[in-house]
Amino acid sequence: MEMVDRYIYAVIQKLPHTQRKDIANELHGLIEDMLEERVGRESLKASDVEEVLLELGSPRKLADKYRGAKKYLIGPELFDTYILILKIVLIVVGASIGVGFLIQTILNPVSILDHFIEMIVSLVTGLPIAFGWTTYSFAMGELVGIKQRDLQKQEWKPSDLPPIPDEKRQIKRGESIVGIVIYAIIIVFLAFSSEYFGIWVFHDEFSGIVPFLKS
Amino acid sequence: MSNANEHLDKILLELRRGTISIGVLSQLYEPQYGYSLVTMLSEKGIHVEPGTLYPLLRRFEKQGLLVSKWDTNEARPRKYYLLSETGKEVFDLLVVEWRSIVASLNHLIENKGDDVDGDG
């Protein structure tokens, strides 16, 4: 029955989160019904399971039928992840620009108005850029995924099914989020605040920075 | 001849795709689960792949034509589908449309040579 679990996992993995459990339960029932009709009360053979799965067809095709044949820039397989990453990226970019404003204001409170205008300009240009690049990357990912699907034209076999990943080995969502946040902060800092990376010169009080990077 | 069969298969596939919906709705005045519908329809001469029927049932449910309920009392839990009020209405309208399509097509098929004869 492990083959059945792998099959169902391969199908629901390509469907939106909200429908996964229900469809998995329904497919379990269906496959058991089909097996029972095939072998009756006799003991199950692995070949019976394979035949039933072959009758149902490749998991990708079945998932496509559940989704309906629609065209997407970013399909449901990627959409949940896309929204998650987009939120993180926008929050981090926005927050970093805000923090940049705070630091500049603390270092040089007299020109707070300049810093404020600078922050608004950074937000207006930075956020759409972040949004655009994130969307672009996912759209490209979707496109490459579709191309790969078209390449795999040969007949599907149950033995192609990948194993269900071990719970412990799956990369935790939290870990990925922390990683993305840290990288995004570093990038925003490099992009918008490079003038602060350098030798801070103090003569009695703070008097300027000799930057490492020239922007 | 095999060429003709190939064409036939393609056209039949398209033709069946539409008629399956009517067949499925017609059987759901009583609650049925997916596989019982597959068997029921095939006994009555309509062959549907489970891989086609299950997503179809789900789509009808999402559109509000069917309502569903999980029955967990049996040995294995099953999801039963039943026509909703909208579903019944839609089915009745579909039947009327279907009859008129059949009538028109029968007329076309039976009189296929008439126009030519009439003109000549």
Side-chain angles (χ1 to χ4, degrees), chain A residues 184-204:
Chain A
I185 290 175
I186 292 172
I187 290 167
V188 171
F189 240 85
L190 286 176
F192 290 101
S193 315
S194 55
E195 62 265 36
Y196 296 111
F197 289 92
I199 300 163
W200 292 42
V201 185
F202 293 92
H203 297 291
D204 294 333

Side-chain angles (χ1 to χ4, degrees), chain A residues 14 42 57 64 71 74 88 109 117 121 126 131 140 152 168 202 206 210:
Chain A
K14 301 177 179 67
E42 291 166 48
D64 281 347
K71 289 193 173 172
I74 296 164
I88 298 170
I117 292 168
V121 171
F131 175 81
M140 284 300 116
Q152 299 167 341
K168 285 174 205 143
F202 293 92
F206 178 73
V210 181

Side-chain angles (χ1 to χ4, degrees), chain A residues 82-98:
Chain A
Y82 166 67
I83 290 296
L84 177 72
I85 303 286
L86 191 62
K87 274 186 202 157
I88 298 170
V89 168
L90 290 183
I91 289 171
V92 170
V93 170
S96 308
I97 292 174

Side-chain angles (χ1 to χ4, degrees), chain A residues 19 21-23 25-30 32-34 36-37 41 55-56 62 65-68 70, chain B residues 33-36 38-39 49-52 54-59 61-62 70 76-79 81:
Chain A
Q19 301 172 14
K21 204 164 165 274
D22 205 58
I23 291 180
N25 288 339
E26 212 180 0
L27 284 180
H28 251 295
L30 167 66
E32 280 170 30
D33 280 336
M34 288 172 82
E36 194 178 295
E37 196 196 71
R41 291 284 161 204
E55 197 181 317
L56 280 175
L62 188 56
K65 280 189 194 160
Y66 268 112
R67 289 200 305 243
K70 289 177 197 137
Chain B
Y33 62 94
Y35 200 62
S36 70
V38 174
T39 356
E49 302 279 333
T52 307
Y54 275 63
L56 183 68
L57 287 172
R58 194 163 272 276
R59 197 156 67 239
E61 187 194 0
K62 203 175 164 199
W70 277 97
R76 84 182 48 123
R78 277 165 176 157
K79 194 174 183 183
Y81 293 91

Side-chain angles (χ1 to χ4, degrees), chain A residues 115-146:
Chain A
H115 296 324
F116 185 74
I117 292 168
E118 214 174 286
M119 177 182 76
I120 298 297
V121 171
S122 301
L123 283 177
V124 169
T125 53
L127 289 181
I129 291 174
F131 175 81
W133 277 107
T134 312
T135 310
Y136 176 78
S137 313
F138 272 87
M140 284 300 116
E142 180 76 28
L143 207 65
V144 171
I146 291 170

